[in-house]
Amino acid sequence: MGKLTNFKRSIWVFHASGGSCNACDIEIVAVLTPRYDVERFGIKLVGSPRHADVLLVTGAIPRDFADKLRRVYEQMPDPKAVVVVGSCGTTGGVFYDSYNIAGPIDEIIPVDVYVPGCPPRPEAIIDGVVKAWLKIEKLEKELEKKGGAGE
Amino acid sequence: MSWLESLTLTSPSGFWNPLLWLAFLVIFAVIGYIIYSRGNRSYKPNTEQVKPFISGNAVEDVEQIRVRAGDIYWGFMEALKGYYAVLMRMHTGDVRDYILWYLGIGAIILFILLGGV
């Protein structure tokens, strides 16, 4: 519903951690703490991909987790975007080509934004989510053109 | 009295008119359809989108995850397994067997009572 776009002042993010060492995860938490406080920009972490616009993935993704990540991605409503946080998810990092690793993440699900770093700074994570936000706005417009996205 | 009035049933607490009811039904159906047609068409039925979120795990068959009423007694059944195994063998579901038990136990009680005299 195009006329209601002014109300879309928030973006909800689901964080999936797949075999991460937790360094990226605590930086994501740092983004939520009072120093950065992204909720004031309408960026909010949610507990279910069913409610999320953006999927934030960390970790090199072990084989056991690959199908779960795929399922989480498929459970998100359209339009959606995927942000990979950290070197492990982006390239495999130090686990590259390991026998038990299914990643990098773009070999499992389509990725829209990469935030490299080990771990990346909170500013970089925020920048990544904002880029995903722009992508979602673009996708929404495309859906509207097709006569799809009502809401 | 007009034909519309003839269809109207009045009572101290209000009135009832089937044509009016029908008119409202049509109006609300149209409103409902307008809301429905503005809905999100990117919704994909029969995909993972419609399944419950269980942390990315596959949703098992409902028969396997459902807690049945009988499951409440699981602890008793497990603790008294030996006792219940005998009892369950005795429960054949055949009413003639139960009558036989009734007569047999009745005979024993009678024997004890008469024997005691």
Side-chain angles (χ1 to χ4, degrees):
Chain A
M1 193 186 287
K3 285 170 192 166
L4 284 179
T5 47
N6 286 342
F7 289 105
K8 290 178 185 168
R9 292 288 167 88
S10 71
I11 197 146
W12 288 13
V13 181
F14 179 77
H15 173 205
S17 176
S20 163
C21 72
N22 216 24
C24 294
D25 306 308
I26 56 172
E27 294 303 324
I28 291 166
V29 174
V31 165
L32 300 167
T33 52
R35 184 177 176 93
Y36 296 96
D37 191 18
V38 285
E39 283 194 11
R40 69 200 153 118
F41 304 129
I43 302 171
K44 188 186 158 197
L45 270 192
V46 290
S48 166
R50 303 280 297 273
H51 306 151
D53 305 297
V54 171
L55 178 61
L56 205 65
V57 195
T58 58
I61 314 296
R63 290 205 184 282
D64 281 351
F65 189 68
D67 63 324
K68 292 173 176 67
L69 181 65
R70 217 170 279 126
R71 206 170 285 123
V72 163
Y73 174 77
E74 282 167 13
Q75 286 194 325
M76 288 173 67
D78 290 320
K80 59 191 167 191
V82 177
V83 178
V84 171
V85 175
S87 299
C88 293
T90 305
T91 62
V94 294
F95 305 105
Y96 178 74
D97 223 13
S98 187
Y99 73 96
N100 56 347
I101 296 300
I105 291 161
D106 55 11
E107 287 183 9
I108 303 162
I109 53 171
V111 175
D112 300 291
V113 182
Y114 296 91
V115 185
C118 184
R121 287 190 60 78
E123 289 90 338
I125 297 170
I126 297 168
D127 187 49
V129 173
V130 170
K131 281 192 169 68
W133 198 331
L134 294 171
K135 170 85 189 264
I136 285 170
E137 279 181 0
K138 201 175 137 197
L139 288 173
E140 251 175 17
K141 276 178 195 155
E142 279 172 17
L143 274 171
E144 271 168 26
K145 259 187 210 165
K146 280 185 203 167
E151 200 155 323
Chain B
M1 185 187 278
S2 71
W3 63 273
L4 194 65
E5 283 171 342
S6 68
L7 282 172
T8 307
L9 181 73
T10 51
S11 75
S13 57
F15 70 95
W16 165 255
N17 184 303
L19 289 178
L20 204 61
W21 182 84
L22 204 63
F24 273 113
L25 184 75
V26 170
I27 289 166
F28 286 119
V30 169
I31 291 169
Y33 180 74
I34 290 167
I35 294 168
Y36 172 77
S37 65
R38 308 287 283 181
N40 194 337
R41 285 177 198 156
S42 60
Y43 167 75
K44 297 172 190 160
N46 306 322
T47 62
E48 291 290 336
Q49 274 191 5
V50 297
K51 291 182 185 167
F53 170 60
I54 312 179
S55 301
N57 292 305
V59 179
E60 286 185 52
D61 182 39
V62 71
E63 287 299 321
Q64 302 203 328
I65 53 174
R66 181 181 287 158
V67 179
R68 297 166 186 278
D71 292 340
I72 297 167
Y73 304 107
W74 177 85
F76 292 102
M77 299 296 281
E78 195 64 23
L80 303 170
K81 211 188 288 177
Y83 171 68
Y84 280 120
V86 176
L87 276 191
M88 282 161 83
R89 269 203 304 277
M90 285 160 65
H91 280 76
T92 57
D94 189 337
V95 76
R96 292 168 300 183
D97 288 345
Y98 299 146
I99 290 170
L100 207 62
W101 273 107
Y102 179 77
L103 289 174
I105 299 293
I108 291 167
I109 291 169
L110 205 65
F111 178 77
I112 291 167
L113 287 176
L114 289 178
V117 173

